[in-house]
Amino acid sequence: MTDARLRRGRGSLTVSFFVQGVAFALLVTRIPAIQDRYGISDGLLPAFLAAVPVLAGVSSVVTEKLAARVGPAAVLRWAQPVVLLALLAVGAGAELWAAAVALGVFGLAVGALDASMNMLGVSLQRAYGRSIMLGFHASYSLGGIAGASLAWAGAHWHLPLFVSYLPVVVVLLPVAFVGSRWYVDGGGEAEAAMGAGEPAGSQRVVFRLLLPLCLVMTFAYIGDSTVSNWSAKYLQDVLHSSEELATVPYNAYMVTTLLGRTVGDFGVRRFGAVLVVRAGAVLAALGFAVVAAAQGPWVGMAGFTVLGLGLSVVVPQTFAAAGRLFPGASDAAVARLNVFNYVGFLVGSPLVGALGDAWSYRGAMLVPMVLVLVTVVYATSFGAPKARYGGGHERPRTVDVG
């Protein structure tokens, strides 16, 4: 595989992560507008919102089988346009059944997209011979910031959802189609497996070995969903901030997540994945502790900001560790691990809400703090302490095929 092809594959996948960040942010930040458009009651809304990650989890499982037949690049090539068109459909409908269908399609396509994107990322990282996964997720974070900004503009100018979504889809749809021409599909995985004397894809994923990474993924998304769903309410109701100031923590969290992922690959190459993940988990736990102890909104906001920096490295490195643990079956390992992304998302928000209502929201913030700290114990599952995904300790496996 030529270096030029690897660079094109890396660039096109980076664009795909960015497009997905934009699309997902445009959906989740306009939930109130979607609720108003379709007349979804407060009682029915949680069922609609829960259906998306549930269907995404089912789709991720199916993607394991589908990718084994046609390759993750083919899955991603068609899943991304479906996500964008489903987003547009969410803004175009008027009846409740239309919202259910559009959100259902969105959930199914997102599960396939998330799994296949990370399959390709893990494979490319192996072909490069050094850590690059955090860079892909940094592109996703940048897309999320762009999508949230576009959503704010649509809300500020009181644009209908369809009018707000249409220009974005018109621009991003051809970008996704053109970029998909240069996806690099599984070269590193096949070489690693054949280098071990086995046919590519012949290794079996042992769930007992994958389980620590599944728990880390779940705990990380419990922390992430706590910030996305409760940071504004916590600042306003517990720390008595203004409504305007209460919107700032999530934006600050997204920015520090982007910063952490932008420099994270350099940290992995220099210090190793285990140390970087442990440091991220401790930093995230410190952020939760600051939030729980804060007596004013600015201190609480500082805690959420630190949180973003800590959590930013955990999820990308968890996907990378799964591919590293099962080099002959990394696609299957990534697809199964991806399910726990949605498990954490489903558990996190109701868990914090229930504890907050029954006990206190300050106390509720200690639960994700403890769960994130468990990652310190499981960090050995991310590889040998000196494993740096390259960085002078591992040499790239690249073959010039002309």
Side-chain angles (χ1 to χ4, degrees):
M1 190 180 302
T2 63
D3 289 343
R5 188 182 174 205
L6 283 176
R7 285 194 297 270
R8 286 194 298 269
R10 183 179 181 181
S12 63
L13 190 59
T14 299
V15 171
S16 184
F17 270 87
F18 175 84
V19 170
Q20 171 57 1
V22 173
F24 193 76
L26 279 171
L27 179 77
V28 298
T29 55
R30 298 305 307 273
I31 292 298
I34 294 170
Q35 184 179 12
D36 291 342
R37 178 178 182 85
Y38 291 96
I40 302 172
S41 67
D42 290 340
L44 192 57
L45 183 62
F48 272 78
L49 298 182
V52 174
V54 168
L55 290 171
V58 171
S59 180
S60 185
V61 173
V62 174
T63 299
E64 176 189 340
K65 308 298 182 185
L66 188 59
R69 290 179 174 272
V70 302
V75 177
L76 179 55
R77 184 171 294 118
W78 294 105
Q80 190 139 60
V82 172
V83 167
L84 291 171
L85 292 173
L87 176 69
L88 191 60
V90 170
E95 303 293 333
L96 197 60
W97 65 266
V101 171
L103 289 171
V105 172
F106 187 92
L108 290 170
V110 159
L113 188 148
D114 284 347
S116 57
M117 277 199 315
N118 284 289
M119 287 175 186
L120 291 178
V122 166
S123 177
L124 264 175
Q125 177 166 275
R126 185 176 293 111
Y128 261 84
R130 66 177 188 269
S131 179
I132 60 173
M133 276 295 286
L134 280 153
F136 294 132
H137 285 261
S139 183
Y140 178 90
S141 297
L142 182 61
I145 293 170
S149 300
L150 290 169
W152 177 88
H156 179 74
W157 294 103
H158 305 290
L159 299 177
L161 281 173
F162 183 78
V163 174
S164 181
Y165 289 162
L166 181 60
V168 179
V169 174
V170 167
V171 171
L172 294 184
L173 194 58
V175 169
F177 265 126
V178 172
S180 69
R181 295 176 54 196
W182 295 290
Y183 292 151
V184 173
D185 188 352
E189 177 181 318
E191 289 171 10
M194 288 187 288
E198 302 174 4
S202 65
Q203 186 181 9
R204 185 170 64 92
V205 177
V206 180
F207 185 71
R208 177 177 56 83
L209 300 178
L210 189 65
L211 180 59
L213 297 178
C214 295
L215 292 174
V216 170
M217 182 70 79
T218 301
F219 298 156
Y221 270 98
I222 287 175
D224 181 82
S225 66
T226 298
V227 180
S228 59
N229 288 289
W230 295 105
S231 59
K233 181 177 176 62
Y234 188 87
L235 237 71
Q236 193 168 351
D237 293 356
V238 178
L239 301 182
H240 310 295
S241 76
S242 66
E243 185 177 354
E244 290 79 11
L245 188 60
T247 66
V248 174
Y250 184 64
N251 287 332
Y253 170 80
M254 291 173 67
V255 170
T256 52
T257 297
L258 172 62
L259 292 174
R261 289 172 173 176
T262 300
V263 302
D265 282 320
F266 298 103
V268 173
R269 294 170 201 165
R270 182 170 179 83
F271 302 109
V274 173
L275 183 58
V276 168
V277 168
R278 280 180 170 158
V282 170
L283 200 58
L286 176 63
F288 274 119
V290 170
V291 169
Q295 297 302 308
W298 289 101
V299 176
M301 195 157 52
F304 285 117
T305 303
V306 170
L307 255 173
L309 201 58
L311 283 180
S312 65
V313 301
V314 177
V315 170
Q317 284 305 307
T318 307
F319 280 120
R324 200 175 169 83
L325 188 61
F326 300 99
S330 66
D331 286 353
V334 167
R336 297 181 194 185
L337 180 63
N338 189 55
V339 173
F340 290 86
N341 159 357
Y342 310 117
V343 171
F345 189 84
L346 277 171
V347 170
S349 181
L351 176 65
V352 171
L355 288 171
D357 291 339
W359 179 26
S360 77
Y361 280 97
R362 288 187 184 276
M365 291 296 161
L366 299 177
V367 175
M369 181 194 79
V370 172
L371 293 177
V372 168
L373 272 178
V374 173
T375 299
V376 175
V377 178
Y378 287 136
T380 52
S381 299
F382 286 74
K386 294 185 179 180
R388 300 182 185 184
Y389 300 86
H393 292 266
E394 301 166 55
R395 297 167 62 185
R397 288 178 170 271
T398 58
V399 179
D400 192 340
V401 294

